[in-house]
């Protein structure tokens, strides 16, 4: 599943980060409700279509969109890819750890 692929990729990136080879983080899009006692607050994440992860490595930033073997990017994700590439960063659709390993080399 896509969730399993994302977890495997995050585990691999965490290992590489622990070795000091890169920095990565997960991006969250959409909205969430924070509940503290009787108080509720809406929190806005990243814009719709934002990639799942980003990696900083040797002066480069790479945005990674994790998909299953049959998964396709949504129109919002394709728009985000164009925005990223227009700004000179890299955007990659990845389906497994091997894809990520190839990209960060």
């Amino acid at each position: 599943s896509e969730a399993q692929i994302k977890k495997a990729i995050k585990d691999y990136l965490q290992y590489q980060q622990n070795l000091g080879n890169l920095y990565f983080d997960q991006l969250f899009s959409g909205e969430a409700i924070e509940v503290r006692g009787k108080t509720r607050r809406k929190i806005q994440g990243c814009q719709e279509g934002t990639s799942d992860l980003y990696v900083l490595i040797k002066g480069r930033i790479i945005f990674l969109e994790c998909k299953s073997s049959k998964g396709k990017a949504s129109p919002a994700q394709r728009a985000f890819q164009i925005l990223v590439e227009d700004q000179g960063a890299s955007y990659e659709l990845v389906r497994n750890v091997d894809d990520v390993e190839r990209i960060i080399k």
Side-chain angles (χ1 to χ4, degrees):
S1 74
E2 190 171 307
Q4 292 169 319
I5 292 166
K6 190 183 303 183
K7 182 183 180 330
I9 289 170
K10 285 171 52 181
D11 288 347
Y12 171 76
L13 291 172
Q14 186 64 61
Y15 175 75
Q16 292 298 321
Q17 183 169 299
N18 292 348
L19 292 174
N21 295 334
L22 54 81
Y23 173 82
F24 90 99
D25 212 341
Q26 184 168 353
L27 299 165
F28 296 97
S29 62
E31 296 178 345
I33 303 294
E34 177 186 47
V35 179
R36 289 189 184 183
K38 295 181 181 180
T39 305
R40 294 178 184 270
R41 181 173 70 145
K42 184 165 63 169
I43 298 170
Q44 177 64 47
C46 298
Q47 294 179 23
E48 180 185 0
T50 301
S51 66
D52 296 312
L53 306 164
Y54 73 93
V55 177
L56 298 172
I57 182 167
K58 299 177 184 166
R60 297 185 302 150
I61 184 166
I62 306 164
F63 291 88
L64 302 176
E65 181 61 41
C66 304
K67 292 290 182 192
S68 67
S69 61
K70 296 180 182 180
K72 296 179 182 178
S74 70
Q77 289 168 335
R78 287 192 294 275
F80 181 76
Q81 177 181 0
I82 292 167
L83 177 119
V84 163
E85 291 172 344
D86 283 351
Q87 294 301 315
S90 297
Y91 178 98
E92 300 286 344
L93 192 144
V94 293
R95 299 183 186 279
N96 54 51
V97 172
D98 291 339
D99 287 348
V100 176
E101 200 170 17
R102 177 185 48 78
I103 290 163
I104 66 170
K105 293 224 175 196

